[in-house]
Amino acid sequence: MLSAGRRAFSALARPTLRDATLPAFARSPAALRRLLSALAILEQRDGQLNTGSLSAVTAAQKLGGTVHGFVAGGSIKAVAAEAAKIEGVEKIVAVENDAYEKGLPENYASLLVENIKKGGYTHVVAGNTAFGKNVMPRVAALLDSQQISDITAVQDDKTFVRPIYAGNAIATVESTDAIKFITVRGTAFPAAAIGGGSAAVEEGVDPKAESLSEWVSEDLATSDRPDLATAGRVVSGGRGLKSKEEFDKVMLPLADALGAAVGASRAAVDSGYADNSLQVGQTGKVVAPQLYMAVGISGAIQHLAGMKDSKVIAAINKDADAPIFQVADVGLVGDLFDKVPELTEKLKA
């Protein structure tokens, strides 16, 4: 009987010629039971698609299966039509209801659960944005799965790479959950291209569950400068600027001269020099611009976690031993109140 059992196992394990042509995930036992399918959560605001969430589509495509997009809110026909043009997406699931316009997690989570169940998805992917970090853990909990947060690479359909300890260590995580919930670091995955796709738009399931929360109001900081999260150039100020007045006087002209977004360290934000929406770091925004200029920033590990993937890092600080110089490509030791205005004038010229 042992011999027969071995022969039976051998026959089952021996790949056929057709099996040999399939990708690795398709030859695995799990993939024989069902195909991989990913749902990428697309964010929108006031009828405009948030291009920052297109990184979730890119990450979903790396899983190897089919990719669908999901969008919800009030008056989203134009958003759904634009999302249908994303390359590599086969279907857009859209739910039009004003109740989901602001993305309140209490009712948005229930909405996602119903549509995930209907689609039978194996992976759900969202950006590691304020929205994604608010909604995705709730959805994962409702479906009894562990979320895998802030990934920077996809090794296969169940193995992912993510930074831990403020980026000082890199963890490779393998998940055996039936449905894998993933948030992706936007700077690690390029935004999926819009224009060449022709996805079908399908109406999603709307549970119309009663919400436990109500949207009251919002107070947004607006700026004509580039968006901090996606800007190609960023200038950030730290505690060394000493006051909000000096921060604005020194940093804003420099940003305008470079066509850059403005950022700040947590110390500057906590001191009231800049709005918290400008914070760069472990507890703020993670950026990876072509140029990152750190002015009056010492280089605490929490700040480095949010900007160390920048292509070129330039630092200005009067302390030659400041940790920021250890990661900077270009460093200038001097009084920022003299050096930055001088640099600004030369850039304008």
Side-chain angles (χ1 to χ4, degrees):
M1 291 183 65
L2 181 60
S3 177
R6 285 178 175 170
R7 285 197 298 271
F9 176 81
S10 176
L12 287 172
R14 187 182 299 117
T16 64
L17 180 61
R18 182 180 64 179
D19 292 335
T21 64
L22 296 175
F25 71 82
R27 297 197 300 270
S28 67
L32 293 175
R33 292 192 293 271
R34 60 178 175 174
L35 296 175
L36 293 176
S37 58
L39 183 67
I41 311 303
L42 303 174
E43 300 176 38
Q44 65 87 31
R45 186 178 184 87
D46 299 328
Q48 299 293 321
L49 183 65
N50 182 349
T51 55
S53 60
L54 295 178
S55 296
V57 176
T58 302
Q61 290 170 347
K62 292 183 179 296
L63 295 167
T66 60
V67 178
H68 294 174
F70 181 87
V71 63
S75 303
I76 59 164
K77 289 183 179 179
V79 178
E82 182 182 6
K85 298 178 183 178
I86 301 173
E87 295 182 9
V89 176
E90 296 187 11
K91 182 192 296 183
I92 298 296
V93 180
V95 176
E96 185 164 346
N97 188 331
D98 287 335
Y100 308 117
E101 177 63 28
K102 298 300 183 180
L104 292 175
E106 290 80 6
N107 59 352
Y108 210 103
S110 299
L111 170 69
L112 278 175
V113 166
E114 294 303 318
N115 284 278
I116 292 167
K117 288 179 179 178
K118 179 186 176 184
Y121 298 105
T122 59
H123 297 76
V124 181
V125 188
N128 197 51
T129 59
F131 171 81
K133 288 186 282 190
N134 209 6
V135 173
M136 288 287 278
R138 297 170 184 263
V139 182
L142 289 170
L143 292 174
D144 196 26
S145 291
Q146 294 188 78
Q147 178 176 308
I148 305 169
S149 302
D150 199 24
I151 70 164
T152 56
V154 176
Q155 290 193 351
D156 57 41
D157 62 289
K158 62 181 182 298
T159 311
F160 312 94
V161 177
R162 61 183 298 267
I164 58 175
Y165 302 125
N168 284 295
I170 302 299
T172 299
V173 182
E174 182 174 307
S175 172
T176 57
D177 287 336
I179 305 175
K180 297 166 183 63
F181 292 89
I182 304 160
T183 61
V184 306
R185 180 170 292 195
T187 56
F189 297 90
I194 299 179
S198 57
V201 178
E202 177 183 290
E203 185 176 351
V205 179
D206 186 355
K208 297 182 179 178
E210 183 178 354
S211 179
L212 300 175
S213 61
E214 177 185 357
W215 182 267
V216 178
S217 65
E218 64 183 355
D219 185 12
L220 297 176
T222 59
S223 173
D224 294 331
R225 296 183 180 86
D227 178 61
L228 176 60
T230 58
R233 299 173 183 174
V234 174
V235 294
S236 282
R239 195 199 304 271
L241 285 150
K242 298 183 178 179
S243 70
K244 176 173 173 52
E245 291 72 23
E246 293 294 345
F247 187 99
D248 292 345
K249 180 181 176 181
V250 173
M251 298 303 297
L252 300 189
L254 176 61
D256 292 338
L258 282 170
V262 177
S265 68
R266 178 170 180 172
V269 170
D270 288 348
S271 299
Y273 303 171
D275 187 81
N276 59 10
S277 64
L278 302 182
Q279 182 177 325
V280 174
Q282 184 180 10
T283 54
K285 289 183 171 64
V286 176
V287 300
Q290 293 295 320
L291 171 65
Y292 186 87
M293 185 170 290
V295 177
I297 294 175
S298 63
I301 187 172
Q302 291 84 357
H303 185 77
L304 298 182
M307 45 66 74
K308 66 181 181 180
D309 290 331
S310 303
K311 304 301 182 291
V312 176
I313 299 173
I316 300 176
N317 200 298
K318 66 179 180 180
D319 181 6
D321 296 323
I324 190 68
F325 288 122
Q326 297 178 13
V327 298
D329 299 288
V330 179
L332 176 60
V333 179
D335 187 342
L336 67 88
F337 295 106
D338 294 329
K339 301 301 182 182
V340 175
E342 181 184 354
L343 175 62
T344 301
E345 290 303 316
K346 289 185 177 181
L347 289 170
K348 289 180 178 179

